[in-house]
């Protein structure tokens, strides 16, 4: 079985750290692997999503198949071919 090809959709704030790209295609079986693959291409974008210790930053939400990965297996959430990993930063306002 081959490793799934997925798309990571980046928010506007991270696009300057990814050569202006709104999405990046990677092959990965889990969310953690997808973010590692992103880090190989755009290391600064990965650092805005994960801490240096590899934990998801509290102000960042990741969605796969319309579900927050925190409601699934976190970074170990499995990916399927054609999935989109949506990166959504928390927004504060008042």
């Amino acid at each position: 079985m081959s490793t799934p090809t997925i798309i990571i959709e980046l928010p506007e704030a991270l696009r300057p750290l990814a050569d202006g790209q709104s999405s990046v295609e990677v092959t990965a079986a889990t969310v953690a692997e997808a973010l590692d693959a992103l880090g190989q291409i755009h290391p600064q974008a990965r650092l805005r999503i994960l801490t240096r210790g590899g934990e998801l930053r509290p102000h960042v939400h990741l969605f796969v198949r319309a579900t927050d990965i925190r409601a699934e297996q976190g970074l170990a959430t499995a990916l399927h071919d054609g999935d989109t990993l949506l990166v959504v930063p928390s927004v504060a306002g008042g």
Side-chain angles (χ1 to χ4, degrees), residues 3-7 25-26 28 64-65 79-85:
T3 306
T5 299
I6 64 114
I7 300 292
E25 183 177 281
V26 299
V64 176
R65 294 178 299 280
L79 298 172
H80 303 101
D81 202 46
D83 275 348
T84 297
L85 175 61

Side-chain angles (χ1 to χ4, degrees), residues 62-87:
L62 301 176
F63 293 87
V64 176
R65 294 178 299 280
T67 302
D68 190 326
I69 66 160
R70 288 183 172 102
E72 295 291 326
Q73 288 81 40
L75 295 173
T77 300
L79 298 172
H80 303 101
D81 202 46
D83 275 348
T84 297
L85 175 61
L86 179 63
V87 181

Side-chain angles (χ1 to χ4, degrees), residues 35-94:
L35 295 175
D36 286 345
L38 174 66
Q40 294 296 315
I41 305 165
H42 304 293
Q44 293 302 313
R46 182 185 182 276
L47 286 174
R48 294 290 180 94
I49 298 168
L50 299 177
T51 65
R52 290 199 185 272
E55 299 296 319
L56 183 61
R57 293 187 181 276
H59 64 277
V60 176
H61 298 276
L62 301 176
F63 293 87
V64 176
R65 294 178 299 280
T67 302
D68 190 326
I69 66 160
R70 288 183 172 102
E72 295 291 326
Q73 288 81 40
L75 295 173
T77 300
L79 298 172
H80 303 101
D81 202 46
D83 275 348
T84 297
L85 175 61
L86 179 63
V87 181
V88 180
S90 294
V91 178

